[in-house]
Structure formats: C-alpha cells, structure tokens
Amino acid sequence: MNQRFRTWWQPRKGLAIAEACVIGLVAALSAVFLKVGSGWLGTWRVHTTHLLPAWLALPAIGLVLGFVAGWLVDRLAPEAYGSGIPQVKATLANVPMALSWRVASIKLLSAIIAIGSGMTLGRQGPTVHVGAGLAAGMSRWVPTSPDHRRQMIAAGAGAGLAAAFNAPIAGVLFIVEELLQDLSGLTLGTAIIASFIGGVISRLLGGGSLDLNLQLAQSSSQFSIPEIPFFILLGILAGLLGALFNSGLIFSIKLYQKLHISLPLRVALAGFISGVVVAMLPAHFRDNTGLRESLITGGSHPTVAAIAFAAQFILTLIAFGSGTPGGLFAPSLILGSCLGHIIGVFELHITGAGSPATYALAGMGGFFSAVSKVPITAIVIVFEMTTDFNLVLPLMIVSVAAYLVADKVVPGSLYEKLLELKGITLTKEAPMEGALTKLTAKDVMQERVETLDAEMSLEEAMQSFARSHHRGFPVVEDNKLVGIVTQSDLLKIRDRNLANDIFLKEIMTPVPMTVTPIHTLSNVLYLLDRYQISRLPVVDGRKLIGIITRADIIRAEADHLNCDNRTLKLRPEPSYVVYQTRSPSTGSGRLLVPVANPETAGILLQMAAAIARDRHYEIDCVQVMLIPRHSSPSETQVRTAKSRRLLRQAEVLAKKWKIPLHTQIRVTHDVAQAVLETINEQHIDLILMGWKGNTSTPGRIFGNVVDTVIRQATCEVVLVKLGTNQQSTLHPQRSFNRWLVPMAGGPNSPLAIKLLPALITLGNDPQIRLTQVFKPSELKPDMSVLEQAIRHLMRRRKLSSTVVAFPVQANSVAEGVINLVQTEGYDVVVLGASREGLLQQAIQGNIPEAIASGVESTVILVRGAINK
C-alpha cells in the first residue's frame, strides 16, 4: 500500500516541481519585460518634455496612451482591467473568471503603455496577474486536478510578486497571507520554488524593483528605544491615511461608473488629468524613481515630501478608479516613504537624533500594510529590499500598528471590496470541510417538484407514474404536504378494477419524514440511510418547497471535490435604464408590456390598450436589451434606434386611445430579472407577455423568462400565445371573433371572466362559449359552474356578444379543449390558473401548456396576483 502511494505521489510531485520552475522563469521574464518596457516609455515621456512644453506634452501623452491601453483591455481582454490581484484572488476562490495567456499578454502590454504614460500606478500588481495568467495557461496543457491548477496559479502569482520586488520570501508569504491561505506541503513547496526562481532570475536580469541597496550602503538605518513612540505615531497615521486611501479608491471607481463612459475613454481621461497635474508640479516630480530615492535617503525637504504625498495620493485615486491596468503596491510604498520622511524630520527636530531614512522605509511598510492588509508581507518586502536587520523592529512596529488601525477604521480586504463592486462576494470557509457539513438542503434541493393531489384516483396516479421516471411523489392538499406515495404503495392494491374507486389519500404514507431548508446534507443523508428511503421532501412549515434525493447529495459532493462548489455568492448587477419617457400619472393602476418581436408587438399592445382602457390603467412598455455577462449594464454602450422605433408603435396606439403611456429601454444580463425589477420599481398591477408556444429549455414549462415571471411576479400575469394565422396581422378584428373559455369551477375561473369584457373588443362580432369538461362516466353533468359564470359575466358588463354555455365530455381537460377548438374552429382560448397550476406537470401533464401547444389558435393564460 505504501509503495503504491509513493508511486502515485512521486510523478505528481515531480510534475508540480517542474511546473513551478518553468512558472518562476516565465514570471521573471515577464516582470523584467514590464520594467524595461514601462521604463523606456517613461524615459521617452520625460525626454519629450525637453522638446515640447510640459503642459502640452504630458496631457497629450497621457490622453493618447491611456486610450490605447484602455482600448486593448476593453476589446481584447476585459478581465485585464485594474490591478489584477482581485481577479487572481477570485479565481483561486473558484470564481468562473477568465485567466489565461490571452489575459496575461494583454495585461502585460496594456500595463507597459499605461504606466509609461505617466499614470501613478505600479507594475507589481500587473506582474502578479501576469504570472498567475501564464501559470493558468500552462496548467491547461497538463491534465491535473482543479486543486493542482489552483496551486500552480498561486505559485505564478507569488513568482510575479517575487520577481517584481526581488523578494522571494515575500512572494511566498503573499500567497499564504492573502491569496490562497493554504499551508499544505505541495502548495508551500511549489510557491517557494516558483518565487525563489522568479526573484533570482529577475535580479540577474536587472529587474530590481526599487534599487535601494546601493543608496543604503552609504547611509544605514538607525534605531533607538526612545524613538518607539514616534514609530507608533507613524503607524497610526499610516493606518488612518491608508484607510482613507482605500475609501477613496472605492469612491473613485463609483464616480467613474456614474459617468457612463467606456473603459478607453475613462483611462484616457485619467491619463489626461494626470498629465495636467504633473505638468504643474516641479520637474523632478516627473521621475518617480528619483523622487522616491530622494525621499528615502533624506535628501528632500519636508515640504517637498508633503506635496509629493498629496499629489501621489490624488493621482493614484484618479488613475486606479478609471480601471487603468496598474497596481497599488508602488504607490503605497511611495506614499509611505513620504509620510515616514515627514515624521522622521519631525522627530529629528524634537530629539536631535534618529534618521529620516529609517522612518521613510518603515513608513513604506506601514502604508503598504494599511492598504493591502498584509502586515507580514509588508515587513518582509521592505526587509528583503534593504537587507537591513536594524530595520526589522521599526518595520514591525509601524506595519502592525498601521494594520490594526486601518482594519478598525475600514474593516475587510480592499481586494474583496473591489470584487464586491463587480457583484462577487467571497466568503470565508474552511477549505478542508466537505460539502456534507457546509451545504444545506436548500442549497441542493430540486425546487420544481412534481406532486399528486390527495383526491386523485388510483387510476390517475398510475398514469402519472407511467409518464414519469420518478418512483415516488409527494402528495399535497391545498398546497400543503399531507403524505408521500411510491410505486410500492401502488403494488399493494391487488384488485385493479377498483382503481377508479380508490383515492390516493387512502394508500399514501401519511405524515412522511421531511427535512427543513436549514438541515445540512449530513443530516439529510443520515435520515435517508436510517429509514432506507431515496428521497425526502423539504418543507417550510407544512408548505412543500422542494425535494432532495441521494443523487442530489452525491452530485453536490462531486462538485465540491471538483472545486465547482464555489465559496461565493454572485449578485447579478441590476438592469440599467438607458432610455425612458413619462406621461402624466392619471390611471388607477399600471399594466406592463415587455415588447421584443416587431411582428407580434402590435397585437400585444392592442390587447394591453384594451385592458388598460377597461380598467383605467396606465401602460408601461419596456424593451430589454441583453449584454454579455462580463460587461456592466450601467457602463456598456448600446444602440437604441431599433428599440425606440418599436416603442413608438406603443406611443401612437396610446395617443389614439388616450391612455397614459410610459416607455423605457433596459440593459441587463437577464431578461427575467429586468422585467421583475420593472414590476417592483413601477408598482405594476398586471403584466401582459407574449409566448412562442413551446420551449426547448430542460426543466422549464414555458421557458426561462416566462417561468421566472410566473413564479416570482406578485402582480397579475397574462400570457399570450398568438395563433399561427394571427401573429403578423394588423387587424385583429378579423380573427378574434370566436372565444372559448373552459371553466374548472375553482377559485381561478373568474380570472378569465374578468378579462373577457376588455379583450372581446378586439373582435368584430365576438361570440363567447363557456364550457366545462366532464368525464364520460358522469351521466348528468353539473351545470351550476357554467350558470354561475354566465351570471358573473353579465353582471360584470352588459355585453352585446353572444354568450353560450355547453359542457363537453372527454377523458382529460386538455383533450376536451383541444378537440373542441379543432372541430368548431375557435379563434381564442382563455384559461385561468394559479401559479402552481401553470407550473404543475405531474397530474395529467401541464394542462395550460398542453392546450397552448396543441392548438393553432390564440391562447391566453391568466394568473391572479399573489399576496406578498
């Protein structure tokens, strides 16, 4: 057994080591290329100011290069925006976010252009993103497990940081402290190998980050015990200003979002503003490297340091908020060195001892710790860059104090807050816990449950089992769970001739074993094993809300092992209104009509107008435009010309009938979400939607959008499937004359009757037939339901139309209605049903869907409002 384990382990370990070596090498090369490229472009920018006026050259370079960098990201790799560390962290948390060679290449090129344009962002964040992207692309070549791929991505990120700072230990600690938070042997081993190779290769090729060693060789740091209060003061100030800096970054991002301009224009704007501001500052502010070294070695006046701090602070907010591909590590270090230099000079004037250089270096670690919330990494980065042991204690004091203050003022990770702006929330969960202890029944249950009614006959139940692959069904009465029936229960009935005389409630298992939504999967699995059953209903009180099976639990555990059980909640970004018109609000209610198809919009709008005129409603007409998931509805540019032409049809009709009309165009990721948001925001009383008559979506009755609206909309829902000969006609009077209204006798029957007076105005000489389906075994049909419906209809409105009521005999409601439509040629069928009735499939199939799909006439399905 041990030999077999070693045989399995060694190839995997050898493969991981080999991958880590290659990842470290590639990350180092990309870091050096980024440094050389951005440095060359920056030198050219500074040199240009000697040939042209700075007020002209710097804003122009920032504008043009900013636009190019933003265009590359926007067109070729939208995931390459910003720092890149939030994207890496999300990917390691199993968020479905693109991380590949394409993303790494565009990030590398766009970061060179953006940083070289003069924007005050660092190259360390992009180097982390590039290293992780290259590792992700490489891991696709080798058939490994999802865990192994995550370890390689983390190693690539650590190698990128190590190469950027020449700090391999810091690269490893950054993985452990911020990204993966995994101390397993393989993770730590690959991270160490990749980081050290990345750091060493980068140093050999001249990729040093801040080049501090030569400067500090002549001026070593100093530290004495009486200086501790000043270092604590520096840590507190770094923490407060770091928290302000983080809040400013979030504010800047939201401010740019309110501008509603594309990424290239945002980055170009940031580059232009940065150029204007830098052009107004002294000339030595145009060279960030020289300014930083002057501050660290104590060669600058405190006033210069204060101006540098303010300028760097504001310019970083302007650049980062736009989505420019650049990081925050270098700006944090520069801000920390400015603050430390000021405190160091202050301490020198008071005590006459101490070194401003020590305070500048300690301030670098403190501000970095306050912004990134990684105090250990901050300490090690500065120590590895200086290799000065005298600096360790001041670094620890300032970094820890800054971290504690910043986390108290603005709790939480900056990177997680940046992800939340994109609708992604990462939750802290123990990585080694299984799905059985983390997930609940609500997380994996099947929400769409096929049920049988307690009053159903045994014969009908047998037909339901014959049509379904399920071996058991929950039994409900008034939408409440009262029992469960299985194939074994049916087999107990010996005499099949009595099948029509025996009801389901007589053979079902009453008071079945159930679970609540908050039961963990381990609890559910225990009950399944304990009672040797294959499924358990999930109930909230007595209301059935789902069902969970052994297969559901096995699937959830498999997903967890394959890292598909994501520790995040994706909050869909709300839809965004890009166009709207408003009329005076004079109606007593509001009717919503989503329009999409120009061929059917005309008839739907006339139906809506008829209902609105009858009920004195206003009409809200909405056109929904879908965009890709990676684009923001509030920022994506869309063309609305075609949509506005469609809405103008509604405006013409509303003006003709003198009905208040409001129109809007919404941009969204999800049509159903946009419709539901409109219902809630505009306080809609009724929604009228078109339906094509069939769906290819597995598990859906009417389709994704319609099913969701039926299930979640609280207002009345009218669903229209236009007949094949009525879809494109502009004169509905020609084809809406013969109306059939099946009555079931339930509480939903009046829903169809209530709409009839308005809808029949679409016909020329409308004729209405009310009908009720009876089984052939019933000798004398009960006509009371039909008589009551006629009285209700005549009392509701005096109609000039002919109204008749006749029963029809058939084995099922759907069969009877379809035969009646086909033999007598009815133009329109109006059905009233509850939400459960519309979405129910188990009993006799789905009756409304079966009728709508089985006839070529127009079918109108009506669902009443739901009490909240």
Side-chain angles (χ1 to χ4, degrees), residues 41-42 45 58 61-62 65 112-121 271 274-275 278 285-286 288 315 319:
L41 202 55
R45 177 179 58 86
L58 294 180
I61 292 173
L65 294 185
I112 289 174
I113 297 172
I115 297 170
S117 71
M119 282 185 270
T120 55
L121 294 175
S274 298
V278 173
F285 278 79
R286 298 165 196 168
N288 286 329
L315 291 176

Side-chain angles (χ1 to χ4, degrees), residues 427-705:
T427 58
K428 307 286 186 183
E429 293 189 3
M432 298 306 294
E433 288 184 358
L436 294 180
T437 57
K438 291 192 300 182
L439 298 180
T440 63
K442 185 178 180 179
D443 295 326
V444 301
M445 70 181 185
Q446 302 172 39
E447 295 184 8
R448 189 174 59 81
V449 188
E450 298 181 16
T451 61
L452 302 182
D453 191 87
E455 299 297 329
M456 178 183 287
S457 68
L458 181 59
E459 179 63 28
E460 292 173 324
M462 290 178 177
Q463 293 177 12
S464 298
F465 274 94
R467 288 192 298 267
S468 173
H469 64 278
H470 295 306
R471 293 181 295 172
F473 290 97
V475 181
V476 297
E477 189 173 32
D478 296 329
N479 295 326
K480 294 180 180 179
L481 181 70
V482 295
I484 195 164
V485 63
T486 65
Q487 290 179 345
S488 301
D489 297 323
L490 300 182
L491 294 175
K492 296 176 183 177
I493 306 301
R494 302 292 184 184
D495 190 355
R496 298 290 174 174
N497 294 325
L498 301 176
N500 285 322
D501 299 324
I502 299 176
F503 294 98
L504 207 55
K505 62 183 179 181
E506 299 174 25
I507 64 169
M508 71 181 185
T509 302
V511 194
M513 178 66 62
T514 62
V515 293
T516 65
I518 61 173
H519 269 84
T520 63
L521 295 192
S522 59
N523 293 335
V524 176
L525 189 59
Y526 170 78
L527 292 175
L528 291 173
D529 285 337
R530 172 69 176 80
Y531 296 98
Q532 291 299 300
I533 49 182
S534 59
R535 69 193 60 79
L536 278 171
V538 184
V539 295
D540 187 3
R542 288 188 61 194
K543 183 180 178 182
L544 179 68
I545 62 173
I547 196 165
I548 187 168
T549 66
R550 290 178 184 269
D552 297 327
I553 298 176
I554 294 171
R555 192 180 305 112
E557 184 65 23
D559 289 345
H560 175 75
L561 293 175
N562 290 325
C563 295
D564 288 335
N565 178 31
R566 301 181 177 93
T567 58
L568 68 136
K569 298 176 182 177
L570 289 174
R571 297 198 310 269
E573 196 170 349
S575 61
Y576 183 74
V577 179
V578 295
Y579 170 86
Q580 65 178 344
T581 63
R582 285 285 174 261
S583 297
S585 297
T586 58
S588 59
R590 302 188 79 147
L591 186 154
L592 176 64
V593 187
V595 292
N597 186 352
E599 294 184 358
T600 60
I603 297 180
L604 291 178
L605 288 171
Q606 291 189 55
M607 287 185 177
I611 297 172
R613 190 169 59 173
D614 179 70
R615 297 190 181 187
H616 304 291
Y617 276 6
E618 303 166 22
I619 296 179
D620 281 78
C621 195
V622 62
Q623 165 81 20
V624 180
M625 302 182 71
L626 276 176
I627 60 171
R629 286 281 176 181
H630 61 75
S631 302
S632 171
S634 62
E635 300 175 18
T636 303
Q637 293 182 335
V638 294
R639 296 179 180 177
T640 61
K642 291 184 179 179
S643 299
R644 290 202 303 269
R645 282 199 294 270
L646 197 57
L647 294 178
R648 276 196 285 272
Q649 293 185 29
E651 293 172 352
V652 171
L653 186 63
K655 186 176 181 180
K656 176 183 175 183
W657 282 20
K658 298 180 180 179
I659 299 172
L661 176 75
H662 317 284
T663 66
Q664 60 178 248
I665 300 174
R666 284 181 178 258
V667 181
T668 185
H669 297 145
D670 187 328
V671 175
Q673 175 195 343
V675 171
L676 292 171
E677 287 172 356
T678 307
I679 291 173
N680 294 330
E681 292 172 10
Q682 305 302 325
H683 307 290
I684 299 298
D685 298 284
L686 184 149
I687 178 173
L688 187 145
M689 301 179 67
W691 173 55
K692 61 184 179 181
N694 55 68
T695 180
S696 58
T697 308
R700 293 291 188 175
I701 308 297
F702 302 102
N704 280 324
V705 176

Side-chain angles (χ1 to χ4, degrees), residues 19-35 108 123 126-135 138 152-164 194-195 197-199 201-202 205 207:
E19 279 190 83
C21 293
V22 177
I23 288 170
L25 176 62
V26 175
L29 293 175
S30 64
V32 173
F33 182 68
L34 178 55
K35 180 190 176 182
L108 183 62
R123 51 189 171 81
T127 307
V128 172
H129 197 187
V130 170
L134 294 172
M138 190 178 302
M152 292 302 104
I153 292 174
L161 185 67
S195 297
I197 290 178
I201 298 297
S202 175
L205 296 178

Side-chain angles (χ1 to χ4, degrees), residues 254-262 266 269 634-635:
K254 292 180 178 178
L255 186 62
Y256 273 104
Q257 289 176 345
K258 291 180 180 178
L259 297 178
H260 306 304
I261 57 178
S262 64
R266 293 202 308 267
L269 178 62
S634 62
E635 300 175 18

Side-chain angles (χ1 to χ4, degrees), residues 410-438:
V410 181
S413 166
L414 171 65
Y415 305 122
E416 293 183 6
K417 287 183 171 63
L418 295 175
L419 287 172
E420 288 174 2
L421 292 178
K422 293 293 182 180
I424 299 172
T425 301
L426 305 183
T427 58
K428 307 286 186 183
E429 293 189 3
M432 298 306 294
E433 288 184 358
L436 294 180
T437 57
K438 291 192 300 182

Side-chain angles (χ1 to χ4, degrees), residues 73 114 172 203 240 250 311-312 377 456 528 656 771 796 801:
V73 172
V172 176
R203 184 181 293 271
L240 293 174
I250 301 299
Q312 189 82 17
T377 304
M456 178 183 287
L528 291 173
K656 176 183 175 183
T771 189
R796 169 74 172 81
S801 309

